[in-house]
Amino acid sequence: MKTILYPGSFDPVTNGHLDVAKRAAKLFDRVVIAVAENSGKKPLFTFAERIDLLKEACADTPNIEVASFDGLLVNALRLFGAEAVLRGIRTSADFEYEFQMALMNRRLNPDCETFFMMTDPDCSFVSSTLVKEIARGGGDISNFVPVCVAEAIRRKWKENMP
Ligand code: PNS
């Protein structure tokens, strides 16, 4: 049973994240999407909301589980019995940061391998940050996120800007 751990903030999950997770689900027995409880960023969605949205978006893929972790990623790896970490790469700009993180994680735990998957070119310009910005400005985000997320963002902005 090969498990891969896909960590992130997922604030919120985008079609880019889903593309990576679902393609990985064809290669590994089990994909655990692990939402970082405290990634140092100020999220739009609560921790519970981010998990619920991921669960809804991945409901059609039985070997994807949604979980959470706090603290160091290398410790979460052991906790979930995962062989490796999965991260998506959109552009070369992502690579710099990801490369540094992968090397640091391997220094912290020599068994911690990181697999990188190139996102689909249609998603290479999609980010949670841009999606939130477009939604806030009243733009159409339906091509970049699953339906449940588009609706949740709409509700969120209505709550925050009555
Ligand atoms: O989606 P993101 O925000 O790019 O995800 C970053 C995340 C959550 C994977 C990263 O910040 C992380 O691994 N945080 C856990 C704390 C940790 O282990 N930090 C050291 C990384 S070398």
Side-chain angles (χ1 to χ4, degrees):
M1 178 88 150
K2 293 270 181 220
T3 298
I4 194 148
L5 188 72
Y6 183 22
S9 309
F10 303 106
D11 181 44
V13 58
T14 67
N15 288 345
H17 295 128
L18 292 175
D19 165 61
V20 168
K22 290 183 183 185
R23 278 163 53 219
K26 293 181 185 156
L27 300 172
F28 293 85
D29 301 308
R30 182 173 165 246
V31 176
V32 178
I33 300 182
V35 182
E37 210 160 318
N38 188 358
S39 68
K41 298 175 183 170
K42 194 178 173 294
L44 173 66
F45 288 97
T46 66
F47 181 55
E49 286 169 337
R50 284 179 277 151
I51 289 179
D52 285 348
L53 289 172
L54 271 162
K55 281 187 177 164
E56 195 170 341
C58 296
D60 60 351
T61 314
N63 61 333
I64 295 183
E65 286 169 32
V66 181
S68 63
F69 77 104
D70 199 9
L72 289 181
L73 181 59
V74 286
N75 295 338
L77 195 71
R78 291 195 194 103
L79 203 71
F80 291 107
E83 258 74 32
V85 171
L86 171 68
R87 293 286 287 171
I89 300 266
R90 291 165 298 187
T91 61
S92 54
D94 279 346
F95 183 75
E96 297 286 331
Y97 171 62
E98 295 299 335
F99 185 62
Q100 184 186 18
M101 222 167 44
L103 290 181
M104 180 57 91
N105 281 330
R106 200 139 64 87
R107 180 57 64 94
L108 294 174
N109 171 4
D111 293 331
C112 182
E113 296 290 354
T114 303
F115 278 71
F116 295 114
M117 273 182 100
M118 304 304 298
T119 51
D120 187 283
D122 283 347
C123 297
S124 64
F125 51 87
V126 177
S127 74
S128 300
T129 304
L130 284 183
V131 161
K132 285 181 281 190
E133 199 175 309
I134 293 164
R136 190 174 45 211
D140 179 12
I141 55 165
S142 58
N143 285 328
F144 314 131
V145 291
V147 175
C148 60
V149 170
E151 286 168 357
I153 293 189
R154 224 169 284 132
R155 280 197 303 273
K156 189 65 85 175
W157 291 130
K158 263 193 202 153
E159 278 166 26
N160 291 349
M161 296 187 296

